[in-house]
C-alpha cells in the first residue's frame, strides 16, 4: 500500500482571468473552479489515476471539512484525513491568465494543529505501516507542527521499514537529508540551499545520492536529473504547450512513485512521471492529467544514462 501525508492541504480556488493579471485595475474573472490542493493529495490523485492503491492522510479543518472531502471524492482519492476542530483548511488562490500566458498563486495561512491531532497521526501510522509499504510526505507544514514533530513523523515511518519519499522544502528538506530518507525531489533553488562550500549542483547531488536511495532534481520544463543505483539519469521532458503548471511537480512525484512501487524500474518510472507531468500542464486545474495522453507523450521522453556516476552505501533499494 502507498500512503500520502499532506500535513497542510489546501482547497485550490482556480480563478480564470479575462485578461492577463495587472496591478492598479479590477482584474475580472470569467470563471471560478475548485481543485484539491496540497502536494500529497496531488500525489494520491496521480497514483489513483494510474490505478495504484493508496490512501491520502493528513490534517484538514473541521469548518470546511465537507467541502474538502467532497473535492477528494470528486477526484476519486481514497482518504482518511484527521479533522482539526475550530479551523478551516486554507485556500490557495491560483490566478490563471488567458491564452496560456501563465498563472500566479497566493496561499492563505495554514490551520493550527494540536498535540492531539499529531498523536493521532503517529498512532495510525505505527498501527498500519508495513515494511512493504511506501509513504510520501509532501508539502508545507501547518502552524503547530514544528521541525521536531516532522522528525518524529519521519522516524516513525523509517522504524516501520517503509520506503519513505519526501517532497519537502527548506529546513524540512534539510531534515529529510539528515535522516537519509529514501527519496527526495528538490528543485534547483532547494539544492543550492543545501550546498555549503564550492560544490556544483551535480557534485552536491552525487554526494547526497551516496546516502539517499533515489533523488530527482527537477529542472521544470527542461526535465530532471535522477540519481539511483550509482547511475545518473538525465531526463528530457516532452515539449508541450503549457496552460497551468500548478501541481506539475506533484503529478511527477505521484506517478513516479506509483510506477516505481509497482515495477522497481527506474527508467519506466521516470518516463511515466515525465509524461504525466507533461500532460498535466496542458490542463487548466491543479491536478488533472490524461493517462491516454501521457501514454502517447511517453515516447517523447528522452533519458541519457551515465553509469557508475557515484558510489552508493548499503541501504534500502526499493519498496519491497
Ligand atoms: O504544488 C501545488 C500546490 O499543492 C497547490 O495545490 C497549492 O495548494 C500549493 O501547492 C500548496 O503549497 P504548499 O507548499 O503550502 O503545500
Amino acid at each position: 500500500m502507498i500512503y500520502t501525508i499532506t500535513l497542510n492541504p489546501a482547497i485550490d480556488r482556480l480563478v480564470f482571468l479575462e485578461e492577463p493579471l495587472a496591478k492598479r485595475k479590477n482584474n475580472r474573472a470569467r470563471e471560478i473552479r475548485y481543485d484539491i490542493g496540497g502536494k500529497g493529495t496531488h500525489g494520491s490523485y496521480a497514483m489513483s489515476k494510474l490505478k495504484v492503491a493508496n490512501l491520502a492522510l493528513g490534517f484538514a479543518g473541521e469548518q470546511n471539512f465537507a467541502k474538502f472531502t467532497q473535492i477528494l471524492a470528486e477526484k476519486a482519492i481514497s482518504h482518511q484525513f484527521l479533522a482539526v476542530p475550530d479551523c478551516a483548511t486554507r485556500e490557495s488562490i491560483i490566478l490563471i491568465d488567458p491564452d496560456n500566458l501563465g498563472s500566479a498563486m497566493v496561499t492563505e495561512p495554514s490551520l493550527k494543529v494540536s498535540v492531539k491531532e499529531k498523536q493521532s497521526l503517529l498512532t495510525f501510522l505505527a498501527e498500519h505501516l508495513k515494511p512493504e509499504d511506501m509513504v510520501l510526505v509532501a508539502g508545507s507544514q501547518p502552524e503547530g507542527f514544528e521541525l521536531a514533530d516532522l522528525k518524529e513523523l519521519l522516524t516513525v515511518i523509517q522504524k516501520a521499514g517503509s520506503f519513505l519519499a519526501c517532497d519537502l522544502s527548506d529546513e524540512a528538506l534539510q531534515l529529510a537529508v539528515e535522516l537519509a530518507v529514501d527519496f527526495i525531489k528538490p528543485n534547483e533553488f532547494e539544492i543550492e540551499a543545501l550546498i555549503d562550500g564550492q560544490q556544483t549542483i551535480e557534485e552536491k547531488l552525487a554526494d547526497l545520492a551516496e546516502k539517499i536511495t533515489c533523488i530527482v532534481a527537477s529542472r521544470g520544463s527542461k526535465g530532471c536529473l535522477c540519481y539511483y543505483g550509482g547511475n545518473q539519469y538525465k531526463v528530457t521532458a516532452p515539449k508541450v504547450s503549457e496552460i497551468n503548471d500548478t501541481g506539475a511537480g506533484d503529478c511527477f512525484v505521484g506517478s513516479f512513485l506509483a510506477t516505481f512501487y509497482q515495477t522497481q524500474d527506474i527508467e519506466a518510472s521516470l518516463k511515466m512521471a515525465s509524461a504525466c507531468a507533461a500532460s498535466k500542464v496542458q490542463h487548466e486545474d491543479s491536478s488533472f492529467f490524461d493517462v491516454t495522453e501521457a501514454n502517447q507523450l511517453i515516447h517523447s521522453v528522452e533519458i541519457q544514462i551515465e553509469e557508475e556516476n557515484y558510489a552508493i552505501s548499503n541501504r534500502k533499494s526499493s519498496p519491497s
Side-chain angles (χ1 to χ4, degrees):
M1 172 65 109
I2 302 181
Y3 297 90
T4 67
I5 300 176
T6 310
L7 298 166
N8 191 20
I11 293 173
D12 283 4
R13 179 195 293 248
L14 303 157
V15 180
F16 296 91
L17 299 172
E18 291 179 347
E19 296 175 0
L21 182 67
K23 289 197 177 66
R24 301 168 62 83
K25 70 170 279 191
N26 183 357
N27 292 271
R28 296 196 182 279
R30 62 176 174 78
E31 185 187 2
I32 304 286
R33 294 215 302 259
Y34 292 91
D35 194 1
I36 199 65
K39 300 180 185 318
T41 59
H42 290 165
S44 270
Y45 174 76
M47 294 166 187
S48 303
K49 289 275 281 198
L50 297 177
K51 305 206 183 313
V52 177
N54 71 92
L55 185 64
L57 308 173
F59 305 120
E62 201 173 67
Q63 290 169 355
N64 57 357
F65 196 80
K67 181 172 183 177
F68 179 73
T69 52
Q70 181 196 342
I71 301 172
L72 285 168
E74 288 165 2
K75 307 294 278 192
I77 296 171
S78 301
H79 58 88
Q80 199 165 318
F81 275 76
L82 291 161
V84 180
D86 308 320
C87 58
T89 295
R90 63 188 173 147
E91 274 198 358
S92 285
I93 297 104
I94 296 147
L95 302 163
I96 302 166
D97 280 351
D99 307 325
N100 307 355
L101 293 174
S103 63
M105 180 167 24
V106 178
T107 299
E108 289 182 333
S110 77
L111 53 75
K112 182 171 184 177
V113 293
S114 72
V115 172
K116 181 172 176 287
E117 287 93 38
K118 290 186 280 191
Q119 193 49 56
S120 297
L121 179 60
L122 294 176
T123 303
F124 176 92
L125 294 170
E127 289 174 352
H128 290 80
L129 287 184
K130 301 182 185 68
E132 62 269 24
D133 291 334
M134 175 186 275
V135 182
L136 167 64
V137 181
S140 61
Q141 294 76 53
E143 192 183 338
F145 200 94
E146 309 305 332
L147 213 51
D149 298 311
L150 182 62
K151 184 171 185 177
E152 190 174 8
L153 172 67
L154 300 183
T155 304
V156 162
I157 297 164
Q158 289 183 310
K159 278 185 180 153
S162 305
F163 184 93
L164 175 52
C166 294
D167 186 359
L168 301 169
S169 302
D170 308 323
E171 297 87 3
L173 174 61
Q174 180 67 50
L175 175 63
V177 167
E178 286 164 13
L179 293 176
V181 299
D182 300 302
F183 172 94
I184 57 172
K185 187 198 73 67
N187 61 35
E188 286 166 311
F189 308 110
E190 290 161 345
I191 300 159
E192 280 165 2
L194 293 172
I195 293 175
D196 48 0
Q198 301 301 321
Q199 284 182 306
T200 65
I201 284 183
E202 293 200 17
E203 286 166 344
K204 181 63 179 179
L205 287 168
D207 272 357
L208 294 175
E210 289 185 14
K211 63 177 187 174
I212 292 175
T213 305
C214 183
I215 301 176
V216 173
S218 59
R219 301 185 298 172
S221 56
K222 290 181 293 185
C224 67
L225 275 178
C226 172
Y227 291 74
Y228 175 76
N231 300 332
Q232 180 201 68
Y233 300 82
K234 196 167 282 185
V235 185
T236 304
K239 299 287 177 285
V240 293
S241 60
E242 180 179 304
I243 291 179
N244 181 6
D245 70 342
T246 303
D250 312 342
C251 176
F252 184 102
V253 171
S255 39
F256 175 87
L257 293 175
T259 310
F260 190 62
Y261 181 75
Q262 280 192 318
T263 67
Q264 282 85 59
D265 181 332
I266 190 67
E267 287 189 61
S269 306
L270 288 168
K271 285 186 173 180
M272 179 55 81
S274 299
C276 291
S279 169
K280 195 276 134 207
V281 300
Q282 298 181 97
H283 297 275
E284 289 183 331
D285 71 7
S286 306
S287 57
F288 180 82
F289 66 97
D290 183 287
V291 177
T292 304
E293 197 173 64
N295 283 323
Q296 288 159 359
L297 286 165
I298 210 163
H299 304 300
S300 307
V301 179
E302 293 171 15
I303 298 183
Q304 290 170 283
I305 304 174
E306 191 176 326
E307 295 183 350
E308 306 305 316
N309 185 267
Y310 59 92
I312 50 176
S313 58
N314 296 324
R315 57 172 189 265
K316 194 176 183 65
S317 62
S318 65
S320 61

